[in-house]
Amino acid sequence: MESMNIEELVRAAKEGQHHCYGELISRFQQHILNYCFHMLGQLQEAEDVTQDVFIKGFQRLEQYREGTSFQAWLYAMTYHECLNRLKRAKTLERILQVFSGTAPILQSDVSTARFEYNEELREALLRLSIKDRHIILQRIVEELRFEEIAEQLQMSTPAVRKRYERAKKQLKKILASREEGGNERSLSY
Amino acid sequence: MSEVYHTDEQMLKRKFEETKLPLIHLEPYVLEQINKEPQRQQNNRFYQKKLLVACGSVMAFMVLFWALSSFPAAAEQLRKIPIIGKIFDGTGITSIGDPGLIDGKENGLAIQLNQEAINQGTTIKMQDAIYDGARLSISCDIKTEHQVRSVLEILQNGIVKINGEVLPAGKIKPMLRILDEKHAIGLININIDSLQPIRSFDLKLQFSGENLENGSSLTKNNIEGEWDFNLPITNRALNDSQSKILANAYTSKSSDGQFQITSYMLTPITTRIDFNYTGKTEFLYFALQDDRGMLSNIIGSDYTTDENGVTKGSLFFNPLANGTKSISVTPYLYTSREIFENAKPIGTTFPIELQLKDVGKIIINQIDKLEDRTLVYYKIEGDQPYLLADSVHFITRSGRHVYSNSLWPLRTNDTSYEYVQEFPPLDPAEQYNIGSMIQIDAKLLSDLTIKLDLAK
């Protein structure tokens, strides 16, 4: 099964060989989790959405067109799941959000892994629009072509390029600048 | 990275590569779900603590100031701890498990509304409400033929009128417990910023699917109906409430900043502290301690920082014990992004002790695995119990975390930090660890502590 390519795995999964879908999950789950984490800013939300993506992915497998990029298709679905989640999640930063912070250091009798992230990058990303976040993540992290991103977002390729350059510039500016004044913020528990 | 990527993109890529998340293994669970009956709800997920967070765990409160009325003078006595069954079996105003609201209902402060509106296969029922001057909470029951999460969006975008005057947008904060995809119960909290004392008022709520932004997922579901309510609201806690505007004397300064308490309001169901603060606000929290040294549970906050870096807002805690003569409020910050987690397998032997470094210890005394819920009884030991109270959770084999149904753990003893918290029912076929995860390195800004004498 490890030697099967993605198209073969998808075809087999559609034919009822669910263990092949399991292999697809295995290959993509960590990438999807990373993407969701950067889109949503919270690990537990990212875990939830990642699970939803793979459950819905199987339900919608018939919609995937062979010959196109399964990765791009999966990320398009993930983007919309994140979008829906963000639209519902209007409130910022409950106290439990601290759970999505940096490495949990565990005692030796626990089997949970350490995790880390760049805090400045996370915060900077969250200040971009959702669409810009997606474009940045797809282009820089997943190295998708602009044409593939355009198809995901149902935009023209030139529009995606233009938006990408603007988002990248904004991201760099946020990372380079100090914390701005005049920042209204409402925190709730 | 391919050659077409510029140096700046390579730099950004390196930053992204610093993200190293825990490894997940979703295959068993996902395959289990897709192998089940097609008509089974695929959303067999953990309960909606996250949704409750997402819906807005900001309690909305009214800012009112009026003449002093004496706080009920009474001999020191324990605050009544609601019966556990009532907490977690709550309906109406008690459905979220807020001890203050439960107390308020038991003491006759709730107003019966019993109004419902039906449209587009969706019934929204307003059951009862409590308004104490510090907060307005209305219980609701929502049943729909559509996705109940979609109805939540409608609630969030509702129009609020107080005696005919429209409030600015964003004042409605729903807090719902989703029972299934088509049914939810919970609270609608409304922030009514007003400096005029209002003993009673006419509240009009207008919910409409047409109020949503373009491209909302709801338009695809065609939930474009309207649901209107005219609700008479009365403050039944007025005679047992106390508020005070404080002079500038209640200010503290240190190298960490400046903290000022400007006013407070004490009601039978809420303690509200209004403040100004100058200093670091990232991961800023507040601890309130009464004159017995017991920490009060915070139930919400609402503040903003202006362009001059001054943070102004309000904090909301559970009500104080009768006879409380003074309180101390202290800001604290997390100085580190470091998270610490400790988890142990659940067996038959109790207690299970979870040491959280120097912050403290959680002692799990009992876990009741019921058919429709799981109850965890635990005790906290340490100098900073406020950091640990709401940190307990379960962890499945695949590493997913199971959080509590309710927003707050219920403290079962007024003089110690013993709690019970409700979780979803556990899967008998699954093996769980029970754990606690906290952000360590909280810095209590003790030099900024302000003590308030309530009797004065």
Side-chain angles (χ1 to χ4, degrees), chain A residues 101-143:
Chain A
T102 50
I105 303 169
L106 303 175
Q107 295 192 348
S108 57
D109 57 350
V110 180
S111 59
T112 306
R114 183 182 177 89
F115 72 98
E116 301 173 354
Y117 69 94
N118 184 307
E119 172 68 21
E120 288 76 24
L121 178 65
R122 184 188 81 96
E123 288 187 0
L125 266 179
L126 292 177
R127 290 170 70 174
L128 299 182
S129 73
I130 301 162
K131 196 170 275 187
D132 287 348
R133 256 178 258 168
H134 172 79
I135 294 173
I136 289 285
L137 289 168
Q138 293 289 275
R139 179 67 183 160
I140 293 182
V141 179
E142 299 301 329
E143 300 185 18

mmCIF file of all heavy atoms in Angstrom, chain A residues 101-143:
data_model
loop_
_atom_site.group_PDB
_atom_site.id
_atom_site.type_symbol
_atom_site.label_atom_id
_atom_site.label_comp_id
_atom_site.label_asym_id
_atom_site.label_seq_id
_atom_site.Cartn_x
_atom_site.Cartn_y
_atom_site.Cartn_z
ATOM 1 N N GLY A 101 -0.456 27.117 23.012
ATOM 2 C CA GLY A 101 0.845 27.769 23.050
ATOM 3 C C GLY A 101 1.975 26.814 22.761
ATOM 4 O O GLY A 101 1.813 25.810 22.088
ATOM 5 N N THR A 102 3.110 27.098 23.308
ATOM 6 C CA THR A 102 4.303 26.343 22.944
ATOM 7 C C THR A 102 4.400 25.028 23.671
ATOM 8 O O THR A 102 3.496 24.579 24.357
ATOM 9 C CB THR A 102 5.554 27.173 23.234
ATOM 10 O OG1 THR A 102 5.453 27.666 24.561
ATOM 11 C CG2 THR A 102 5.661 28.307 22.264
ATOM 12 N N ALA A 103 5.558 24.444 23.518
ATOM 13 C CA ALA A 103 5.783 23.058 23.883
ATOM 14 C C ALA A 103 5.255 22.681 25.248
ATOM 15 O O ALA A 103 5.658 23.245 26.248
ATOM 16 C CB ALA A 103 7.278 22.790 23.848
ATOM 17 N N PRO A 104 4.367 21.710 25.297
ATOM 18 C CA PRO A 104 4.022 21.164 26.602
ATOM 19 C C PRO A 104 5.138 20.217 27.015
ATOM 20 O O PRO A 104 5.538 19.349 26.252
ATOM 21 C CB PRO A 104 2.731 20.391 26.333
ATOM 22 C CG PRO A 104 2.799 20.009 24.910
ATOM 23 C CD PRO A 104 3.660 21.047 24.215
ATOM 24 N N ILE A 105 5.687 20.419 28.174
ATOM 25 C CA ILE A 105 6.770 19.548 28.623
ATOM 26 C C ILE A 105 6.164 18.518 29.549
ATOM 27 O O ILE A 105 5.586 18.850 30.571
ATOM 28 C CB ILE A 105 7.831 20.369 29.367
ATOM 29 C CG1 ILE A 105 8.335 21.483 28.444
ATOM 30 C CG2 ILE A 105 8.979 19.486 29.783
ATOM 31 C CD1 ILE A 105 9.177 22.498 29.165
ATOM 32 N N LEU A 106 6.268 17.291 29.173
ATOM 33 C CA LEU A 106 5.547 16.264 29.903
ATOM 34 C C LEU A 106 6.470 15.494 30.811
ATOM 35 O O LEU A 106 7.645 15.333 30.542
ATOM 36 C CB LEU A 106 4.899 15.299 28.913
ATOM 37 C CG LEU A 106 3.976 15.992 27.925
ATOM 38 C CD1 LEU A 106 3.470 15.006 26.924
ATOM 39 C CD2 LEU A 106 2.819 16.657 28.655
ATOM 40 N N GLN A 107 5.881 14.976 31.849
ATOM 41 C CA GLN A 107 6.668 14.100 32.699
ATOM 42 C C GLN A 107 6.842 12.772 32.000
ATOM 43 O O GLN A 107 6.129 12.435 31.070
ATOM 44 C CB GLN A 107 5.971 13.931 34.045
ATOM 45 C CG GLN A 107 5.908 15.247 34.806
ATOM 46 C CD GLN A 107 5.494 15.069 36.228
ATOM 47 O OE1 GLN A 107 5.042 14.010 36.615
ATOM 48 N NE2 GLN A 107 5.646 16.110 37.023
ATOM 49 N N SER A 108 7.761 11.995 32.500
ATOM 50 C CA SER A 108 8.176 10.803 31.760
ATOM 51 C C SER A 108 7.087 9.749 31.685
ATOM 52 O O SER A 108 7.153 8.872 30.854
ATOM 53 C CB SER A 108 9.409 10.192 32.417
ATOM 54 O OG SER A 108 9.099 9.899 33.779
ATOM 55 N N ASP A 109 6.085 9.823 32.508
ATOM 56 C CA ASP A 109 5.075 8.766 32.457
ATOM 57 C C ASP A 109 3.934 9.114 31.531
ATOM 58 O O ASP A 109 2.897 8.497 31.539
ATOM 59 C CB ASP A 109 4.530 8.469 33.868
ATOM 60 C CG ASP A 109 3.961 9.723 34.515
ATOM 61 O OD1 ASP A 109 4.170 10.810 33.956
ATOM 62 O OD2 ASP A 109 3.334 9.607 35.570
ATOM 63 N N VAL A 110 4.097 10.136 30.709
ATOM 64 C CA VAL A 110 3.035 10.561 29.795
ATOM 65 C C VAL A 110 3.553 10.503 28.378
ATOM 66 O O VAL A 110 4.706 10.806 28.121
ATOM 67 C CB VAL A 110 2.560 11.995 30.119
ATOM 68 C CG1 VAL A 110 1.466 12.422 29.177
ATOM 69 C CG2 VAL A 110 2.095 12.066 31.555
ATOM 70 N N SER A 111 2.708 10.131 27.469
ATOM 71 C CA SER A 111 3.167 9.936 26.097
ATOM 72 C C SER A 111 2.634 11.008 25.169
ATOM 73 O O SER A 111 2.160 10.712 24.079
ATOM 74 C CB SER A 111 2.683 8.578 25.602
ATOM 75 O OG SER A 111 1.265 8.534 25.675
ATOM 76 N N THR A 112 2.660 12.253 25.570
ATOM 77 C CA THR A 112 2.244 13.319 24.666
ATOM 78 C C THR A 112 3.472 14.045 24.160
ATOM 79 O O THR A 112 4.394 14.308 24.901
ATOM 80 C CB THR A 112 1.323 14.308 25.384
ATOM 81 O OG1 THR A 112 0.258 13.588 25.963
ATOM 82 C CG2 THR A 112 0.783 15.323 24.411
ATOM 83 N N ALA A 113 3.452 14.388 22.875
ATOM 84 C CA ALA A 113 4.657 14.938 22.259
ATOM 85 C C ALA A 113 4.815 16.410 22.577
ATOM 86 O O ALA A 113 3.881 17.103 22.923
ATOM 87 C CB ALA A 113 4.567 14.738 20.754
ATOM 88 N N ARG A 114 6.011 16.862 22.392
ATOM 89 C CA ARG A 114 6.355 18.248 22.549
ATOM 90 C C ARG A 114 5.915 18.978 21.288
ATOM 91 O O ARG A 114 5.966 18.424 20.196
ATOM 92 C CB ARG A 114 7.877 18.303 22.709
ATOM 93 C CG ARG A 114 8.446 19.638 22.966
ATOM 94 C CD ARG A 114 9.980 19.493 23.047
ATOM 95 N NE ARG A 114 10.602 20.779 23.237
ATOM 96 C CZ ARG A 114 10.833 21.320 24.425
ATOM 97 N NH1 ARG A 114 10.517 20.651 25.505
ATOM 98 N NH2 ARG A 114 11.382 22.504 24.544
ATOM 99 N N PHE A 115 5.467 20.211 21.397
ATOM 100 C CA PHE A 115 5.212 20.952 20.183
ATOM 101 C C PHE A 115 5.653 22.390 20.353
ATOM 102 O O PHE A 115 5.665 22.935 21.450
ATOM 103 C CB PHE A 115 3.750 20.840 19.729
ATOM 104 C CG PHE A 115 2.750 21.584 20.569
ATOM 105 C CD1 PHE A 115 2.292 22.831 20.184
ATOM 106 C CD2 PHE A 115 2.250 21.012 21.718
ATOM 107 C CE1 PHE A 115 1.347 23.502 20.943
ATOM 108 C CE2 PHE A 115 1.310 21.682 22.490
ATOM 109 C CZ PHE A 115 0.857 22.927 22.093
ATOM 110 N N GLU A 116 6.028 22.975 19.245
ATOM 111 C CA GLU A 116 6.566 24.324 19.237
ATOM 112 C C GLU A 116 6.013 25.070 18.039
ATOM 113 O O GLU A 116 5.577 24.472 17.058
ATOM 114 C CB GLU A 116 8.098 24.282 19.108
ATOM 115 C CG GLU A 116 8.791 23.522 20.204
ATOM 116 C CD GLU A 116 10.281 23.378 19.916
ATOM 117 O OE1 GLU A 116 10.725 23.772 18.823
ATOM 118 O OE2 GLU A 116 10.992 22.855 20.773
ATOM 119 N N TYR A 117 6.064 26.363 18.142
ATOM 120 C CA TYR A 117 5.724 27.183 16.986
ATOM 121 C C TYR A 117 6.321 28.560 17.185
ATOM 122 O O TYR A 117 6.750 28.919 18.276
ATOM 123 C CB TYR A 117 4.197 27.279 16.816
ATOM 124 C CG TYR A 117 3.503 28.066 17.893
ATOM 125 C CD1 TYR A 117 3.229 29.426 17.729
ATOM 126 C CD2 TYR A 117 3.140 27.445 19.084
ATOM 127 C CE1 TYR A 117 2.612 30.147 18.739
ATOM 128 C CE2 TYR A 117 2.529 28.168 20.093
ATOM 129 C CZ TYR A 117 2.256 29.516 19.913
ATOM 130 O OH TYR A 117 1.662 30.224 20.906
ATOM 131 N N ASN A 118 6.334 29.319 16.118
ATOM 132 C CA ASN A 118 6.838 30.685 16.159
ATOM 133 C C ASN A 118 5.673 31.609 16.530
ATOM 134 O O ASN A 118 4.737 31.797 15.749
ATOM 135 C CB ASN A 118 7.419 31.045 14.781
ATOM 136 C CG ASN A 118 8.056 32.421 14.777
ATOM 137 O OD1 ASN A 118 7.432 33.406 15.165
ATOM 138 N ND2 ASN A 118 9.301 32.497 14.337
ATOM 139 N N GLU A 119 5.725 32.155 17.734
ATOM 140 C CA GLU A 119 4.607 32.953 18.248
ATOM 141 C C GLU A 119 4.358 34.205 17.413
ATOM 142 O O GLU A 119 3.226 34.565 17.113
ATOM 143 C CB GLU A 119 4.896 33.340 19.703
ATOM 144 C CG GLU A 119 3.916 34.318 20.308
ATOM 145 C CD GLU A 119 2.529 33.743 20.513
ATOM 146 O OE1 GLU A 119 2.409 32.502 20.569
ATOM 147 O OE2 GLU A 119 1.570 34.526 20.606
ATOM 148 N N GLU A 120 5.451 34.852 17.019
ATOM 149 C CA GLU A 120 5.289 36.082 16.230
ATOM 150 C C GLU A 120 4.617 35.766 14.891
ATOM 151 O O GLU A 120 3.757 36.509 14.421
ATOM 152 C CB GLU A 120 6.646 36.735 15.971
ATOM 153 C CG GLU A 120 7.286 37.399 17.198
ATOM 154 C CD GLU A 120 7.883 36.406 18.175
ATOM 155 O OE1 GLU A 120 8.219 35.271 17.750
ATOM 156 O OE2 GLU A 120 8.009 36.752 19.360
ATOM 157 N N LEU A 121 5.020 34.674 14.298
ATOM 158 C CA LEU A 121 4.430 34.288 13.016
ATOM 159 C C LEU A 121 2.951 33.961 13.186
ATOM 160 O O LEU A 121 2.110 34.361 12.384
ATOM 161 C CB LEU A 121 5.182 33.088 12.437
ATOM 162 C CG LEU A 121 4.645 32.534 11.119
ATOM 163 C CD1 LEU A 121 4.801 33.573 10.011
ATOM 164 C CD2 LEU A 121 5.389 31.258 10.734
ATOM 165 N N ARG A 122 2.638 33.231 14.237
ATOM 166 C CA ARG A 122 1.237 32.863 14.478
ATOM 167 C C ARG A 122 0.381 34.104 14.613
ATOM 168 O O ARG A 122 -0.688 34.222 14.007
ATOM 169 C CB ARG A 122 1.127 31.995 15.727
ATOM 170 C CG ARG A 122 -0.274 31.483 16.019
ATOM 171 C CD ARG A 122 -0.353 30.794 17.384
ATOM 172 N NE ARG A 122 -0.492 31.742 18.457
ATOM 173 C CZ ARG A 122 -1.652 32.105 19.005
ATOM 174 N NH1 ARG A 122 -2.758 31.582 18.559
ATOM 175 N NH2 ARG A 122 -1.699 32.973 19.980
ATOM 176 N N GLU A 123 0.846 35.047 15.413
ATOM 177 C CA GLU A 123 0.057 36.264 15.634
ATOM 178 C C GLU A 123 -0.036 37.092 14.365
ATOM 179 O O GLU A 123 -1.071 37.682 14.052
ATOM 180 C CB GLU A 123 0.691 37.087 16.757
ATOM 181 C CG GLU A 123 0.488 36.436 18.120
ATOM 182 C CD GLU A 123 0.974 37.322 19.253
ATOM 183 O OE1 GLU A 123 1.465 38.436 18.980
ATOM 184 O OE2 GLU A 123 0.886 36.875 20.410
ATOM 185 N N ALA A 124 1.079 37.151 13.632
ATOM 186 C CA ALA A 124 1.074 37.930 12.394
ATOM 187 C C ALA A 124 0.096 37.337 11.393
ATOM 188 O O ALA A 124 -0.644 38.053 10.725
ATOM 189 C CB ALA A 124 2.486 37.972 11.808
ATOM 190 N N LEU A 125 0.079 36.023 11.299
ATOM 191 C CA LEU A 125 -0.838 35.353 10.363
ATOM 192 C C LEU A 125 -2.291 35.649 10.711
ATOM 193 O O LEU A 125 -3.123 35.864 9.830
ATOM 194 C CB LEU A 125 -0.628 33.845 10.433
ATOM 195 C CG LEU A 125 0.322 33.207 9.450
ATOM 196 C CD1 LEU A 125 0.402 31.718 9.707
ATOM 197 C CD2 LEU A 125 -0.096 33.465 8.006
ATOM 198 N N LEU A 126 -2.574 35.668 11.993
ATOM 199 C CA LEU A 126 -3.952 35.878 12.417
ATOM 200 C C LEU A 126 -4.428 37.300 12.112
ATOM 201 O O LEU A 126 -5.627 37.579 12.176
ATOM 202 C CB LEU A 126 -4.101 35.568 13.909
ATOM 203 C CG LEU A 126 -3.943 34.088 14.285
ATOM 204 C CD1 LEU A 126 -4.025 33.883 15.792
ATOM 205 C CD2 LEU A 126 -5.010 33.225 13.605
ATOM 206 N N ARG A 127 -3.497 38.154 11.791
ATOM 207 C CA ARG A 127 -3.887 39.521 11.439
ATOM 208 C C ARG A 127 -4.142 39.671 9.940
ATOM 209 O O ARG A 127 -4.601 40.710 9.484
ATOM 210 C CB ARG A 127 -2.803 40.500 11.912
ATOM 211 C CG ARG A 127 -2.787 40.594 13.443
ATOM 212 C CD ARG A 127 -1.593 41.347 13.978
ATOM 213 N NE ARG A 127 -1.676 42.771 13.671
ATOM 214 C CZ ARG A 127 -0.806 43.665 14.123
ATOM 215 N NH1 ARG A 127 0.201 43.280 14.871
ATOM 216 N NH2 ARG A 127 -0.935 44.935 13.822
ATOM 217 N N LEU A 128 -3.847 38.629 9.196
ATOM 218 C CA LEU A 128 -4.189 38.654 7.775
ATOM 219 C C LEU A 128 -5.629 38.189 7.608
ATOM 220 O O LEU A 128 -6.183 37.524 8.477
ATOM 221 C CB LEU A 128 -3.277 37.713 6.984
ATOM 222 C CG LEU A 128 -1.772 37.988 7.000
ATOM 223 C CD1 LEU A 128 -1.057 36.968 6.121
ATOM 224 C CD2 LEU A 128 -1.475 39.398 6.541
ATOM 225 N N SER A 129 -6.206 38.506 6.451
ATOM 226 C CA SER A 129 -7.541 37.969 6.185
ATOM 227 C C SER A 129 -7.433 36.454 6.006
ATOM 228 O O SER A 129 -6.349 35.921 5.743
ATOM 229 C CB SER A 129 -8.120 38.605 4.918
ATOM 230 O OG SER A 129 -7.453 38.081 3.779
ATOM 231 N N ILE A 130 -8.554 35.801 6.117
ATOM 232 C CA ILE A 130 -8.555 34.337 6.045
ATOM 233 C C ILE A 130 -8.044 33.884 4.684
ATOM 234 O O ILE A 130 -7.258 32.943 4.574
ATOM 235 C CB ILE A 130 -9.978 33.815 6.286
ATOM 236 C CG1 ILE A 130 -10.452 34.272 7.658
ATOM 237 C CG2 ILE A 130 -10.025 32.301 6.190
ATOM 238 C CD1 ILE A 130 -11.935 34.202 7.819
ATOM 239 N N LYS A 131 -8.492 34.560 3.651
ATOM 240 C CA LYS A 131 -8.095 34.181 2.297
ATOM 241 C C LYS A 131 -6.591 34.385 2.115
ATOM 242 O O LYS A 131 -5.909 33.556 1.519
ATOM 243 C CB LYS A 131 -8.883 35.002 1.289
ATOM 244 C CG LYS A 131 -8.852 34.451 -0.129
ATOM 245 C CD LYS A 131 -9.844 35.158 -1.030
ATOM 246 C CE LYS A 131 -11.211 34.552 -0.910
ATOM 247 N NZ LYS A 131 -12.177 35.093 -1.890
ATOM 248 N N ASP A 132 -6.086 35.482 2.635
ATOM 249 C CA ASP A 132 -4.649 35.742 2.506
ATOM 250 C C ASP A 132 -3.834 34.707 3.267
ATOM 251 O O ASP A 132 -2.762 34.287 2.815
ATOM 252 C CB ASP A 132 -4.316 37.156 3.022
ATOM 253 C CG ASP A 132 -4.796 38.239 2.063
ATOM 254 O OD1 ASP A 132 -5.168 37.892 0.913
ATOM 255 O OD2 ASP A 132 -4.807 39.410 2.452
ATOM 256 N N ARG A 133 -4.355 34.334 4.434
ATOM 257 C CA ARG A 133 -3.657 33.294 5.190
ATOM 258 C C ARG A 133 -3.535 32.020 4.354
ATOM 259 O O ARG A 133 -2.493 31.377 4.288
ATOM 260 C CB ARG A 133 -4.456 32.965 6.468
ATOM 261 C CG ARG A 133 -3.900 33.530 7.733
ATOM 262 C CD ARG A 133 -4.805 33.176 8.889
ATOM 263 N NE ARG A 133 -5.623 34.312 9.272
ATOM 264 C CZ ARG A 133 -6.662 34.267 10.098
ATOM 265 N NH1 ARG A 133 -7.028 33.132 10.647
ATOM 266 N NH2 ARG A 133 -7.357 35.347 10.391
ATOM 267 N N HIS A 134 -4.635 31.670 3.753
ATOM 268 C CA HIS A 134 -4.657 30.438 2.944
ATOM 269 C C HIS A 134 -3.651 30.539 1.800
ATOM 270 O O HIS A 134 -2.892 29.591 1.562
ATOM 271 C CB HIS A 134 -6.067 30.225 2.398
ATOM 272 C CG HIS A 134 -6.158 29.115 1.403
ATOM 273 N ND1 HIS A 134 -6.206 27.779 1.760
ATOM 274 C CD2 HIS A 134 -6.192 29.133 0.041
ATOM 275 C CE1 HIS A 134 -6.284 27.030 0.680
ATOM 276 N NE2 HIS A 134 -6.265 27.821 -0.374
ATOM 277 N N ILE A 135 -3.647 31.661 1.115
ATOM 278 C CA ILE A 135 -2.753 31.814 -0.036
ATOM 279 C C ILE A 135 -1.296 31.725 0.408
ATOM 280 O O ILE A 135 -0.470 31.058 -0.227
ATOM 281 C CB ILE A 135 -3.029 33.155 -0.756
ATOM 282 C CG1 ILE A 135 -4.422 33.139 -1.384
ATOM 283 C CG2 ILE A 135 -1.973 33.424 -1.810
ATOM 284 C CD1 ILE A 135 -4.854 34.464 -1.963
ATOM 285 N N ILE A 136 -0.976 32.380 1.504
ATOM 286 C CA ILE A 136 0.400 32.335 2.019
ATOM 287 C C ILE A 136 0.785 30.895 2.372
ATOM 288 O O ILE A 136 1.865 30.400 2.008
ATOM 289 C CB ILE A 136 0.532 33.240 3.265
ATOM 290 C CG1 ILE A 136 0.467 34.715 2.885
ATOM 291 C CG2 ILE A 136 1.809 32.920 4.026
ATOM 292 C CD1 ILE A 136 1.719 35.257 2.238
ATOM 293 N N LEU A 137 -0.099 30.215 3.078
ATOM 294 C CA LEU A 137 0.230 28.847 3.523
ATOM 295 C C LEU A 137 0.365 27.903 2.338
ATOM 296 O O LEU A 137 1.275 27.066 2.287
ATOM 297 C CB LEU A 137 -0.856 28.331 4.479
ATOM 298 C CG LEU A 137 -0.884 28.991 5.853
ATOM 299 C CD1 LEU A 137 -2.154 28.626 6.593
ATOM 300 C CD2 LEU A 137 0.333 28.579 6.670
ATOM 301 N N GLN A 138 -0.501 28.038 1.372
ATOM 302 C CA GLN A 138 -0.458 27.141 0.225
ATOM 303 C C GLN A 138 0.778 27.402 -0.624
ATOM 304 O O GLN A 138 1.405 26.484 -1.149
ATOM 305 C CB GLN A 138 -1.714 27.301 -0.625
ATOM 306 C CG GLN A 138 -2.977 26.822 0.089
ATOM 307 C CD GLN A 138 -3.026 25.309 0.226
ATOM 308 O OE1 GLN A 138 -3.463 24.595 -0.680
ATOM 309 N NE2 GLN A 138 -2.588 24.786 1.360
ATOM 310 N N ARG A 139 1.133 28.666 -0.770
ATOM 311 C CA ARG A 139 2.240 29.002 -1.644
ATOM 312 C C ARG A 139 3.587 28.730 -0.977
ATOM 313 O O ARG A 139 4.470 28.120 -1.572
ATOM 314 C CB ARG A 139 2.132 30.487 -2.040
ATOM 315 C CG ARG A 139 3.257 30.968 -2.941
ATOM 316 C CD ARG A 139 3.208 30.339 -4.294
ATOM 317 N NE ARG A 139 4.349 30.778 -5.110
ATOM 318 C CZ ARG A 139 4.789 30.140 -6.176
ATOM 319 N NH1 ARG A 139 4.186 29.027 -6.584
ATOM 320 N NH2 ARG A 139 5.808 30.596 -6.863
ATOM 321 N N ILE A 140 3.722 29.199 0.250
ATOM 322 C CA ILE A 140 5.043 29.123 0.893
ATOM 323 C C ILE A 140 5.267 27.763 1.552
ATOM 324 O O ILE A 140 6.342 27.180 1.450
ATOM 325 C CB ILE A 140 5.206 30.257 1.922
ATOM 326 C CG1 ILE A 140 5.239 31.590 1.183
ATOM 327 C CG2 ILE A 140 6.459 30.057 2.766
ATOM 328 C CD1 ILE A 140 5.452 32.791 2.050
ATOM 329 N N VAL A 141 4.258 27.254 2.261
ATOM 330 C CA VAL A 141 4.458 26.001 3.002
ATOM 331 C C VAL A 141 4.280 24.790 2.081
ATOM 332 O O VAL A 141 5.121 23.896 2.037
ATOM 333 C CB VAL A 141 3.492 25.902 4.198
ATOM 334 C CG1 VAL A 141 3.688 24.601 4.936
ATOM 335 C CG2 VAL A 141 3.705 27.077 5.141
ATOM 336 N N GLU A 142 3.187 24.786 1.337
ATOM 337 C CA GLU A 142 2.895 23.606 0.504
ATOM 338 C C GLU A 142 3.447 23.731 -0.912
ATOM 339 O O GLU A 142 3.391 22.781 -1.685
ATOM 340 C CB GLU A 142 1.376 23.366 0.450
ATOM 341 C CG GLU A 142 0.752 23.100 1.811
ATOM 342 C CD GLU A 142 1.339 21.884 2.509
ATOM 343 O OE1 GLU A 142 1.764 20.930 1.809
ATOM 344 O OE2 GLU A 142 1.408 21.875 3.743
ATOM 345 N N GLU A 143 3.924 24.919 -1.260
ATOM 346 C CA GLU A 143 4.546 25.162 -2.564
ATOM 347 C C GLU A 143 3.614 24.817 -3.718
ATOM 348 O O GLU A 143 4.037 24.271 -4.742
ATOM 349 C CB GLU A 143 5.864 24.374 -2.669
ATOM 350 C CG GLU A 143 6.868 24.771 -1.592
ATOM 351 C CD GLU A 143 8.215 24.095 -1.751
ATOM 352 O OE1 GLU A 143 8.502 23.586 -2.849
ATOM 353 O OE2 GLU A 143 8.978 24.072 -0.779
#
